[in-house]
Structure formats: C-alpha cells, structure tokens
Amino acid sequence: LEKHPGERFHSSHDLAFSLEALSGSSVSTGTAAAIKGVSGPRRRPGPAMTVVLVVAALALGAAAMWLLRPASTPEGEVNFIRITARRGTVTNARFTGDDAAVYGAAWGGGPVRVYPAAPGSRTSEPLSIGDADLLSVSSTGEIAVSLDRRFSLGWEAIGTLAIAPPGGAAPRPVLENVMVADFAPDGRSLAVAHEVDGVVRLEYPIGTVIYESPGWISALRVNPDGERVLIADNPARGDNRALVRIVHRDGRVETVAGRASWGLLWAPDGETVWMADGGDAYSVRPGGEPRRLTQVPVSLHLFDVSSSGQLLAAAAAVRRELIGRPPGGDNEIDLSWLDWSTPSLLSDDGRVAVFEEGNDVSEDGYG
C-alpha cells in the first residue's frame, strides 16, 4: 500500500522477513548481515531531538548480526547467513579472518561491548576489554575501540579512541573526541574523524589534517593502497544523509555519486565503492552511476568486507518514539503517531505536545 512503488514489499519473502523482525517487539527490531558486491526511506533526527531520545531510539532497536554470502548465488541474488540472535543494537563489525569476526553491540539494554562472532554460533561472551564500542581491527590483530562513547547530536557519536592489543587486554587511550577511525594497511597508523573546537577534521595519520568536513563524518575506510580515504561526509550536523567522498593524502577530494546513510566500504578490487542508503546497497565506481546490488525492507548497515567479497552488515528496523509523563502521573505514556515522532513544544499545563512526524523521505527532502 505504500504510495511510492520503491518502498513496497517486492515478494512474500520480504514480507515474511519483516514480520519475523517485528514479531519480537512493539518498539523496534532488526537483523544484521554481510554482503558481496549493493534505497529505502532515509530518516534523520530533527533539530529538536534531544540526546535522551537519540539513545532511546538506538538502544531500544533490536538487531542481530548476519553474514551475507553472495559469491555462490546467481546474479542479482544475495544469501544472508545469521550470526547473532540476541535483542539489542549492533553498532559495528569487522572481519578478523575468513570465518571469524568481532562486533560491537548493546544487548538487553546493557552497555556496548565487543564480542567475537563466527558462523554456527549465535552467542558469545564479550572480550575482556570492558565497556567499549568497536572502531577498527588492524592487520596485526590490534583492536581500535571507543571508550565513553556517547551520542552528542542526532546520529553523531563520539568518544575516546583507544587501542587494545591482540587477545583482548585493557585498551590504551590514544585520542579524545573521535567519531570514527580505521587502521591503514600497515596495521599501525590510523585515519580518524577528530572533532576539535566544533570542527570535524579528517586526520591521516593522527595529527595530520587532510580534510575538514562542513558537517561531520559518520564513516571512513582507508584504501588498501594506503593513499586514499573513503568517507561518509554529512553536510548537516546530526543528520545521517551523507555524501560519498574520496580524500587523497595530498588533500585532493573526489565526490562519488550516491549517498551513504548507513555505511560505505571499498570493494575487494580497491576501486569500487559499496554504500548503503536506507534498505538498499549500491555499487559505484568514481565517475560512474550507482548500481543497486540488493534491497531489504529495513535499514541495511554496511560494516566490513572480506577479501573474498563477503560482507558484514546489520539489517535493523529503527524507530523514534515520543514518550511523555502527564502532570501528577506516575507512568510514562507512548505518544508516538507513526515511526519517527520528534517533540517540538509542550503546553504550559504539560498536557498537550506538538511534534513533528518525519517518517517519509524523497529526493526532494524530508516529509
């Protein structure tokens, strides 16, 4: 019944997938996956959104890790292999081998921790590095994590970059106010999105500024050649509708066609870019036009790709709910209308709320 054909279910399998995801919670559910080679509605937090609402929207979303293996499937088909099944939110994931990975997740409303994962096992104990979110894994086995990671505005998250040695020992703090980071091929140097005096800088290596974003940077990946950094450059602070750019070490910048609301990666060939926007994943080469690789009826988050073309991704249904407590009341009430309700005003007597509903988006902007 969706007005726009591109937002309708395309098969009974898609419908069954969505119903299964939604059956476990009236708040939000989802899944996470890995894909080879790949737009649904994009949503952004409005300017009136508070930090508490952002955390609630993410922490209450249910997600599971999946591995997408399209290498052996026919052209145009994608095969999802589920890795996790717990209720919570998957924040990031990285391969540590052909059949092993680590991921960051907040399960059951708890803090974000880093967990090992492998196909065939859907549960695991967290690594012994304490409360931390995953940022990157080096070729030498070191793990870059974010300590004290918190949401500052909209989708923006920031924390202290720290490095944990192989084996999961206590991480060593390196740099404060880091949004995202990625190890270079040498396994030692890092590219980081570092906020300094309100300006988000792309530093590669740390301390060397090669680009300053007009907004903020939500994702970055160093090319295997070590000379180029792929970034999701968000023009509006807090918004997750990102432009795709390639920044060279000498400061040259290329803008790639397409958007990356939910992550982007270098394909195994080192030249093609894979990006996710809404529930779609696209492939594009600089100077070319995006080609859709796959589509799911929820938000598809791209995290990492292996040398054989398998990806780690999270497919998650995320919603923002409007919650209020009336004067003299003891219980909170769900005041949400659709799936992206943002409060704007509250009457003097505390009994009437004015809100925005932003669950629709098109190329012309937000509804």
Side-chain angles (χ1 to χ4, degrees):
L1 298 180
E2 285 288 344
K3 178 180 178 181
H4 303 293
E7 296 180 16
R8 300 172 188 162
F9 291 112
H10 294 280
S11 68
S12 58
H13 178 271
D14 290 346
L15 178 59
F17 180 88
S18 182
L19 289 174
E20 178 182 4
L22 293 172
S23 63
S25 168
S26 62
V27 178
S28 159
T29 59
T31 47
I35 67 180
K36 176 186 175 182
V38 163
S39 160
R42 297 175 294 275
R43 300 184 174 92
R44 50 95 180 183
M49 178 171 151
T50 66
V51 174
V52 173
L53 287 172
V54 179
V55 174
L58 297 180
L60 292 178
M65 183 65 63
W66 293 69
L67 179 65
L68 178 53
R69 297 174 182 262
S72 60
T73 58
E75 182 69 23
E77 294 186 13
V78 173
N79 179 31
F80 290 86
I81 299 176
R82 189 168 186 170
I83 296 177
T84 70
R86 298 178 65 184
R87 177 184 174 87
T89 300
V90 175
T91 58
N92 203 349
R94 290 289 188 274
F95 281 109
T96 57
D98 291 337
D99 294 310
V102 292
Y103 64 93
W107 295 132
V112 179
R113 307 287 298 274
V114 180
Y115 297 82
S121 177
R122 297 191 182 183
T123 61
S124 62
E125 293 299 316
L127 300 181
S128 56
I129 59 178
D131 296 351
D133 198 2
L134 176 68
L135 293 178
S136 183
V137 176
S138 78
S139 57
T140 61
E142 290 186 317
I143 301 176
V145 297
S146 180
L147 306 178
D148 188 31
R149 192 161 178 82
R150 65 273 183 197
F151 287 92
S152 56
L153 174 66
W155 294 106
E156 294 184 33
I158 197 167
T160 298
L161 169 67
I163 305 298
R172 170 179 57 87
V174 174
L175 184 66
E176 295 182 348
N177 299 321
V178 171
M179 292 180 167
V180 286
D182 190 41
F183 277 106
D186 63 14
R188 298 185 302 274
S189 55
L190 283 150
V192 299
H194 181 204
E195 185 172 22
V196 179
D197 296 328
V199 177
V200 179
R201 315 186 313 189
L202 174 61
E203 300 178 11
Y204 179 50
I206 292 175
T208 301
V209 180
I210 61 173
Y211 178 74
E212 289 188 352
S213 172
W216 66 291
I217 297 172
S218 57
L220 64 83
R221 298 305 295 263
V222 180
N223 189 276
D225 65 13
E227 296 298 318
R228 294 170 290 170
V229 182
L230 181 66
I231 66 171
D233 193 9
N234 305 264
R237 297 299 300 254
D239 192 357
N240 71 329
R241 298 190 74 188
L243 302 175
V244 181
R245 304 192 198 277
I246 298 173
V247 183
H248 297 248
R249 294 192 75 160
D250 61 9
R252 289 182 294 122
V253 179
E254 300 176 67
T255 300
V256 181
R259 294 183 182 273
S261 301
W262 299 111
L264 75 172
L265 302 165
W266 290 106
D269 65 8
E271 297 298 329
T272 304
V273 175
W274 291 342
M275 55 192 174
D277 192 32
D280 296 341
Y282 293 90
S283 170
V284 63
R285 291 178 69 92
E289 291 299 318
R291 177 177 66 89
R292 187 164 71 184
L293 299 177
T294 193
Q295 182 183 54
V296 296
V298 290
S299 296
L300 186 64
H301 304 216
L302 299 187
F303 293 137
D304 198 17
V305 58
S306 70
S307 59
S308 63
Q310 302 173 28
L311 278 90
L312 286 169
V318 184
R319 61 185 291 126
R320 180 192 296 166
E321 296 186 338
L322 180 63
I323 308 298
R325 186 167 59 204
D330 296 326
N331 299 321
E332 293 181 339
I333 300 173
D334 188 344
L335 303 174
S336 307
W337 181 30
L338 300 179
D339 62 353
W340 215 252
S341 301
T342 303
S344 296
L345 299 170
L346 186 67
S347 65
D348 291 340
D349 63 4
R351 297 187 178 277
V352 178
V354 177
F355 68 98
E356 301 174 3
E357 183 63 43
N359 75 322
D360 185 31
V361 66
S362 68
E363 292 303 320
D364 297 328
Y366 293 106

